[in-house]
Protein backbone atom coordinates (compact mmCIF):
# COMPACT_ATOMS: atom_id res chain seq x y z
CA UNK A 1 0.00 0.00 0.00
CA UNK A 2 1.29 3.46 -0.86
CA UNK A 3 -0.50 5.21 2.03
CA UNK A 4 -0.57 4.22 5.70
CA UNK A 5 -3.27 5.64 7.99
CA UNK A 6 -3.28 5.11 11.75
CA UNK A 7 -6.43 4.07 13.59
CA UNK A 8 -7.14 2.37 16.90
CA UNK A 9 -8.39 2.83 20.46
CA UNK A 10 -4.97 3.77 21.79
CA UNK A 11 -4.85 6.76 19.44
CA UNK A 12 -8.42 7.79 20.23
CA UNK A 13 -7.48 7.88 23.92
CA UNK A 14 -5.78 11.24 23.39
CA UNK A 15 -8.71 13.48 24.26
CA UNK A 16 -9.83 15.52 27.24
CA UNK A 17 -13.23 14.19 28.12
CA UNK A 18 -16.84 15.26 27.82
CA UNK A 19 -17.36 18.90 26.96
CA UNK A 20 -13.77 19.64 25.96
CA UNK A 21 -13.35 20.66 22.29
CA UNK A 22 -10.57 18.08 21.88
CA UNK A 23 -12.63 15.06 22.91
CA UNK A 24 -11.81 11.38 22.40
CA UNK A 25 -14.62 11.03 19.82
CA UNK A 26 -12.70 12.87 17.10
CA UNK A 27 -11.02 9.76 15.69
CA UNK A 28 -14.32 7.89 15.43
CA UNK A 29 -15.86 10.76 13.46
CA UNK A 30 -12.99 10.61 10.99
CA UNK A 31 -13.03 6.83 10.67
CA UNK A 32 -16.77 6.68 10.08
CA UNK A 33 -16.27 8.95 7.06
CA UNK A 34 -13.23 6.92 5.93
CA UNK A 35 -15.32 3.75 5.81
CA UNK A 36 -18.32 5.52 4.27
CA UNK A 37 -16.10 6.63 1.38
CA UNK A 38 -14.44 3.23 1.10
CA UNK A 39 -11.02 4.70 1.80
CA UNK A 40 -10.15 2.31 4.61
CA UNK A 41 -9.55 -0.61 2.23
CA UNK A 42 -7.38 1.52 -0.06
CA UNK A 43 -4.87 2.22 2.73
CA UNK A 44 -2.61 0.20 4.96
CA UNK A 45 -4.21 0.68 8.39
CA UNK A 46 -1.48 1.14 10.97
CA UNK A 47 -1.80 0.05 14.60
CA UNK A 48 -1.00 2.90 17.00
CA UNK A 49 2.15 2.37 19.06
CA UNK A 50 3.65 4.21 22.02
CA UNK A 51 6.99 5.98 21.87
CA UNK A 52 9.70 5.75 24.50
CA UNK A 53 10.92 8.42 26.89
CA UNK A 54 14.10 8.47 24.83
CA UNK A 55 11.98 9.46 21.84
CA UNK A 56 10.28 12.25 23.78
CA UNK A 57 13.66 13.55 24.94
CA UNK A 58 14.60 14.29 21.33
CA UNK A 59 12.47 17.43 21.68
CA UNK A 60 11.23 17.77 25.27
CA UNK A 61 13.14 18.51 28.47
CA UNK A 62 13.59 15.79 31.08
CA UNK A 63 11.84 17.92 33.71
CA UNK A 64 8.76 18.35 31.57
CA UNK A 65 8.55 14.65 30.68
CA UNK A 66 8.76 13.80 34.38
CA UNK A 67 6.03 16.32 35.19
CA UNK A 68 3.63 14.79 32.65
CA UNK A 69 4.34 11.32 34.04
CA UNK A 70 3.54 12.52 37.56
CA UNK A 71 0.32 14.29 36.62
CA UNK A 72 -0.69 11.29 34.51
CA UNK A 73 -0.65 9.19 37.65
CA UNK A 74 -2.75 11.62 39.67
CA UNK A 75 -4.91 12.95 36.84
CA UNK A 76 -5.07 16.25 38.66
CA UNK A 77 -4.58 19.84 37.59
CA UNK A 78 -3.59 21.36 34.27
CA UNK A 79 -0.49 20.81 32.20
CA UNK A 80 -0.59 24.44 31.06
CA UNK A 81 -2.56 27.51 32.20
CA UNK A 82 -6.06 26.16 31.66
CA UNK A 83 -6.49 24.65 28.18
CA UNK A 84 -4.83 21.26 28.66
CA UNK A 85 -6.09 19.30 31.68
CA UNK A 86 -4.27 16.28 33.01
CA UNK A 87 -6.18 13.02 33.16
CA UNK A 88 -5.23 9.53 34.35
CA UNK A 89 -3.13 8.01 31.57
CA UNK A 90 -2.44 11.26 29.71
CA UNK A 91 1.26 10.39 29.50
CA UNK A 92 0.52 7.08 27.81
CA UNK A 93 -2.09 8.59 25.47
CA UNK A 94 0.23 11.41 24.39
CA UNK A 95 3.07 8.93 23.93
CA UNK A 96 0.93 6.97 21.46
CA UNK A 97 0.45 10.12 19.36
CA UNK A 98 4.22 10.58 19.13
CA UNK A 99 4.89 6.87 18.71
CA UNK A 100 2.44 6.51 15.83
CA UNK A 101 4.06 9.40 13.95
CA UNK A 102 7.51 7.88 14.48
CA UNK A 103 6.21 4.46 13.40
CA UNK A 104 4.91 6.12 10.25
CA UNK A 105 8.38 7.52 9.62
CA UNK A 106 9.95 4.09 10.15
CA UNK A 107 7.55 2.55 7.64
CA UNK A 108 8.32 5.21 5.05
CA UNK A 109 12.07 4.81 5.45
CA UNK A 110 11.75 1.02 5.33
CA UNK A 111 9.97 1.32 1.98
CA UNK A 112 6.67 -0.07 3.26
CA UNK A 113 4.80 3.06 2.14
CA UNK A 114 5.51 6.53 0.77
CA UNK A 115 2.89 8.59 2.55
CA UNK A 116 1.40 8.54 6.06
CA UNK A 117 -1.59 10.16 7.74
CA UNK A 118 -1.97 10.23 11.53
CA UNK A 119 -5.33 11.84 12.35
CA UNK A 120 -4.82 12.44 16.07
CA UNK A 121 -1.45 14.17 15.84
CA UNK A 122 0.04 17.48 14.79
CA UNK A 123 0.12 18.80 18.37
CA UNK A 124 1.91 21.94 17.28
CA UNK A 125 1.51 24.13 20.38
CA UNK A 126 3.49 22.02 22.86
CA UNK A 127 6.79 23.64 23.80
CA UNK A 128 10.04 21.88 24.57
CA UNK A 129 9.39 22.52 28.26
CA UNK A 130 5.62 22.60 28.54
CA UNK A 131 2.11 21.88 27.27
CA UNK A 132 -0.08 24.42 25.52
CA UNK A 133 -3.35 24.64 23.62
CA UNK A 134 -4.57 21.02 24.02
CA UNK A 135 -1.08 19.74 23.09
CA UNK A 136 0.91 17.65 25.61
CA UNK A 137 3.83 16.34 23.53
CA UNK A 138 4.83 17.92 20.22
CA UNK A 139 4.92 14.97 17.85
CA UNK A 140 6.05 17.25 15.03
CA UNK A 141 9.03 18.48 17.02
CA UNK A 142 10.00 14.93 17.93
CA UNK A 143 9.61 13.86 14.30
CA UNK A 144 11.87 16.65 13.03
CA UNK A 145 14.55 15.82 15.60
CA UNK A 146 14.31 12.11 14.76
CA UNK A 147 14.74 12.82 11.06
CA UNK A 148 17.95 14.72 11.78
CA UNK A 149 19.51 12.83 14.67
CA UNK A 150 18.58 9.28 13.73
CA UNK A 151 18.29 9.30 9.96
CA UNK A 152 20.53 12.13 8.77
CA UNK A 153 17.70 13.90 6.94
CA UNK A 154 18.45 17.59 7.53
CA UNK A 155 16.28 19.63 5.15
CA UNK A 156 12.70 19.32 6.38
CA UNK A 157 9.69 21.35 5.20
CA UNK A 158 6.83 21.86 7.66
CA UNK A 159 3.58 23.29 6.29
CA UNK A 160 0.73 24.16 8.66
CA UNK A 161 -2.82 25.12 7.54
CA UNK A 162 -4.45 24.84 10.97
CA UNK A 163 -6.33 28.01 11.96
CA UNK A 164 -3.92 28.43 14.89
CA UNK A 165 -0.27 29.35 14.47
CA UNK A 166 2.08 26.40 15.04
CA UNK A 167 4.02 28.26 17.71
CA UNK A 168 5.52 25.21 19.41
CA UNK A 169 7.17 24.17 16.16
CA UNK A 170 8.05 27.72 15.11
CA UNK A 171 9.80 28.76 18.32
CA UNK A 172 11.27 25.29 18.81
CA UNK A 173 13.16 25.72 15.53
CA UNK A 174 13.18 29.49 15.08
CA UNK A 175 16.97 29.58 14.76
CA UNK A 176 17.24 26.35 12.71
CA UNK A 177 18.07 27.16 9.06
CA UNK A 178 17.28 23.63 7.87
CA UNK A 179 13.62 23.72 8.94
CA UNK A 180 11.60 25.25 6.13
CA UNK A 181 8.53 26.51 7.99
CA UNK A 182 5.38 27.78 6.24
CA UNK A 183 2.22 28.51 8.21
CA UNK A 184 -1.11 29.94 6.99
CA UNK A 185 -3.23 30.79 10.05
CA UNK A 186 -5.80 33.18 11.43
CA UNK A 187 -4.15 36.44 12.45
CA UNK A 188 -2.89 36.25 16.03
CA UNK A 189 -4.61 39.52 16.87
CA UNK A 190 -7.88 37.59 16.81
CA UNK A 191 -6.99 34.04 17.81
CA UNK A 192 -4.81 31.99 20.16
CA UNK A 193 -1.82 31.85 20.50
CA UNK A 194 -1.40 35.44 19.29
CA UNK A 195 1.81 34.74 17.38
CA UNK A 196 2.88 34.18 13.78
CA UNK A 197 3.13 37.73 12.46
CA UNK A 198 4.40 38.15 8.91
CA UNK A 199 7.66 39.65 10.16
CA UNK A 200 8.51 36.50 12.15
CA UNK A 201 10.85 34.95 9.59
CA UNK A 202 13.45 33.18 11.72
CA UNK A 203 16.45 34.23 13.79
CA UNK A 204 20.18 34.28 13.18
CA UNK A 205 21.28 31.86 10.50
CA UNK A 206 17.64 30.88 10.04
CA UNK A 207 16.50 34.35 9.01
CA UNK A 208 14.30 34.01 5.95
CA UNK A 209 13.65 30.27 6.37
CA UNK A 210 10.27 30.80 8.06
CA UNK A 211 7.09 32.01 6.36
CA UNK A 212 4.12 33.15 8.42
CA UNK A 213 0.96 34.21 6.58
CA UNK A 214 -1.65 35.63 8.98
CA UNK A 215 -5.17 35.66 7.52
CA UNK A 216 -8.09 37.91 8.42
CA UNK A 217 -11.05 36.31 10.21
CA UNK A 218 -13.52 35.15 7.61
CA UNK A 219 -10.87 34.18 5.07
CA UNK A 220 -12.37 31.74 2.56
CA UNK A 221 -11.06 29.39 -0.13
CA UNK A 222 -10.46 32.27 -2.50
CA UNK A 223 -8.24 33.96 0.10
CA UNK A 224 -6.44 30.66 0.70
CA UNK A 225 -5.73 30.20 -3.01
CA UNK A 226 -4.39 33.75 -3.25
CA UNK A 227 -1.66 33.05 -0.69
CA UNK A 228 -1.02 29.34 -1.31
CA UNK A 229 1.42 29.95 -4.21
CA UNK A 230 3.73 31.71 -1.71
CA UNK A 231 3.86 28.52 0.33
CA UNK A 232 4.57 26.35 -2.69
CA UNK A 233 7.30 28.67 -3.94
CA UNK A 234 8.83 28.84 -0.46
CA UNK A 235 8.93 25.06 -0.03
CA UNK A 236 10.29 24.57 -3.52
CA UNK A 237 13.10 27.08 -2.89
CA UNK A 238 14.06 25.18 0.27
CA UNK A 239 14.61 21.89 -1.63
CA UNK A 240 13.46 19.70 1.26
CA UNK A 241 14.31 16.05 1.75
CA UNK A 242 11.10 15.37 3.69
CA UNK A 243 7.72 17.14 3.99
CA UNK A 244 5.35 17.34 6.96
CA UNK A 245 1.79 18.69 6.67
CA UNK A 246 -0.28 19.77 9.66
CA UNK A 247 -3.82 19.69 8.23
CA UNK A 248 -5.84 21.21 11.05
CA UNK A 249 -9.55 21.29 10.17
CA UNK A 250 -10.37 24.20 12.48
CA UNK A 251 -9.83 26.56 9.53
CA UNK A 252 -13.08 25.27 7.96
CA UNK A 253 -16.29 27.30 8.19
CA UNK A 254 -18.36 26.42 11.24
CA UNK A 255 -15.57 25.49 13.65
CA UNK A 256 -16.72 26.48 17.15
CA UNK A 257 -13.50 28.18 18.28
CA UNK A 258 -12.11 29.88 15.15
CA UNK A 259 -13.32 32.36 12.54
CA UNK A 260 -12.13 31.00 9.18
CA UNK A 261 -14.34 30.02 6.24
CA UNK A 262 -12.38 27.44 4.23
CA UNK A 263 -14.00 24.34 2.79
CA UNK A 264 -12.33 20.90 2.73
CA UNK A 265 -11.24 21.70 -0.83
CA UNK A 266 -8.48 23.88 0.62
CA UNK A 267 -7.09 20.90 2.54
CA UNK A 268 -7.32 18.71 -0.55
CA UNK A 269 -5.42 21.29 -2.58
CA UNK A 270 -2.67 21.70 0.02
CA UNK A 271 -2.18 17.95 0.33
CA UNK A 272 -2.22 17.40 -3.43
CA UNK A 273 0.36 20.08 -4.13
CA UNK A 274 2.63 19.00 -1.27
CA UNK A 275 2.51 15.42 -2.53
CA UNK A 276 3.69 16.70 -5.91
CA UNK A 277 6.57 18.53 -4.23
CA UNK A 278 7.37 15.42 -2.18
CA UNK A 279 7.54 13.39 -5.40
CA UNK A 280 9.84 16.00 -6.92
CA UNK A 281 12.23 16.55 -4.03
CA UNK A 282 11.69 13.91 -1.32
CA UNK A 283 11.29 10.54 -3.04
CA UNK A 284 7.58 10.90 -2.33
CA UNK A 285 8.10 11.03 1.43
CA UNK A 286 5.43 12.97 3.31
CA UNK A 287 3.71 12.65 6.69
CA UNK A 288 0.40 14.45 7.23
CA UNK A 289 -1.22 14.94 10.63
CA UNK A 290 -4.77 15.88 11.55
CA UNK A 291 -4.08 18.74 13.91
CA UNK A 292 -7.01 20.79 15.21
CA UNK A 293 -10.66 20.77 14.22
CA UNK A 294 -13.53 20.79 16.69
CA UNK A 295 -16.58 20.40 14.45
CA UNK A 296 -16.75 16.66 13.88
CA UNK A 297 -18.28 16.66 10.37
CA UNK A 298 -15.73 19.28 9.33
CA UNK A 299 -12.72 17.28 10.47
CA UNK A 300 -14.12 14.09 8.95
CA UNK A 301 -14.59 15.81 5.59
CA UNK A 302 -11.23 17.63 5.59
CA UNK A 303 -9.11 14.73 6.74
CA UNK A 304 -10.65 12.27 4.29
CA UNK A 305 -9.93 14.77 1.52
CA UNK A 306 -6.30 14.77 2.68
CA UNK A 307 -6.23 10.95 2.56
CA UNK A 308 -7.73 11.01 -0.95
CA UNK A 309 -4.95 13.40 -2.02
CA UNK A 310 -2.30 11.14 -0.52
CA UNK A 311 -3.76 8.22 -2.47
CA UNK A 312 -3.52 9.96 -5.84
Amino acid sequence: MRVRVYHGKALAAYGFGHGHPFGPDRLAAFWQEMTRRGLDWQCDVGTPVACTEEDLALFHTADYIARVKHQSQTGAGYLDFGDTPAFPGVFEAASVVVGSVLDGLDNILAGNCQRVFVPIAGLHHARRDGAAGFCVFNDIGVLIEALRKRHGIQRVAYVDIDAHHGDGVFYGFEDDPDLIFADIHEDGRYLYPGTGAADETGKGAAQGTKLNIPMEPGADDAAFHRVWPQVEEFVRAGKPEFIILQAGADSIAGDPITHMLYTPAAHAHAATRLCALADEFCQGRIIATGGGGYDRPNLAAAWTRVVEALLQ
Side-chain angles (χ1 to χ4, degrees):
M1 292 285 188
R2 190 177 190 189
V3 178
R4 186 176 178 90
V5 178
Y6 283 80
H7 175 256
K9 290 182 179 179
L11 193 59
Y14 187 86
F16 298 95
H18 181 70
H20 192 284
F22 203 125
D25 61 319
R26 295 170 78 245
L27 183 62
F30 161 68
W31 200 251
Q32 182 177 9
E33 186 66 4
M34 279 282 289
T35 57
R36 190 188 74 80
R37 296 192 185 195
L39 296 174
D40 52 328
W41 63 266
Q42 298 181 51
C43 303
D44 173 30
V45 179
T47 301
V49 295
C51 71
T52 66
E53 288 187 43
E54 182 182 3
D55 295 327
L56 295 173
L58 289 169
F59 182 80
H60 291 290
T61 65
D63 285 349
Y64 175 58
I65 295 168
R67 179 187 164 199
V68 177
K69 284 188 72 175
H70 173 71
Q71 287 190 246
S72 182
Q73 293 168 356
T74 65
Y78 284 85
L79 295 165
D80 58 2
F81 300 103
D83 288 327
T84 314
F87 59 85
V90 65
F91 177 86
E92 290 76 16
S95 296
V96 168
V97 174
V98 176
S100 298
V101 170
L102 292 180
D103 189 69
L105 172 62
D106 289 343
N107 275 275
I108 288 175
L109 296 180
N112 298 327
C113 59
Q114 276 190 310
R115 302 168 179 176
V116 163
F117 182 66
V118 188
I120 308 301
L123 305 181
H124 60 173
H125 295 307
R127 307 183 307 272
R128 291 185 183 270
D129 62 353
F134 314 161
C135 303
V136 176
F137 293 135
N138 195 320
D139 53 286
I140 300 296
V142 175
L143 172 60
I144 293 166
E145 296 287 14
L147 281 162
R148 269 83 172 277
K149 295 175 180 176
R150 293 179 175 172
H151 303 291
I153 297 172
Q154 295 298 320
R155 300 286 290 171
V156 179
Y158 172 73
V159 178
D160 190 324
I161 61 172
D162 192 289
H164 301 86
H165 180 234
D167 56 327
V169 180
F170 179 80
Y171 295 112
F173 297 93
E174 188 178 17
D175 59 356
D176 184 333
D178 286 327
L179 181 69
I180 305 142
F181 177 99
D183 193 318
I184 305 174
H185 52 274
E186 185 174 337
D187 194 308
R189 293 175 295 176
Y190 310 104
L191 187 70
Y192 176 92
T195 55
D199 61 1
E200 293 190 80
T201 60
K203 286 187 174 180
Q207 183 70 41
T209 65
K210 313 291 182 270
L211 176 67
N212 281 297
I213 304 178
M215 306 287 280
E216 290 294 316
D220 58 9
D221 281 9
F224 176 84
H225 283 289
R226 281 195 294 272
V227 301
W228 176 259
Q230 297 178 50
V231 172
E232 206 165 313
E233 180 181 351
F234 195 77
V235 172
R236 177 180 295 278
K239 294 181 171 59
E241 301 169 85
F242 200 97
I243 294 176
I244 304 165
L245 168 63
Q246 204 271 25
D250 49 9
S251 48
I252 293 178
D255 191 89
I257 65 174
T258 74
H259 317 100
M260 307 288 273
L261 298 178
Y262 299 167
T263 73
H267 291 65
H269 183 74
T272 297
R273 296 306 305 150
L274 290 175
C275 283
L277 289 173
D279 288 342
E280 183 176 353
F281 292 104
C282 312
Q283 303 170 47
R285 303 180 300 193
I286 182 170
I287 290 180
T289 63
Y294 308 103
D295 177 276
R296 278 36 175 182
N298 277 0
L299 70 83
W303 293 351
T304 49
R305 291 295 299 275
V306 170
V307 172
E308 286 174 341
L310 296 177
L311 284 165
Q312 290 176 2

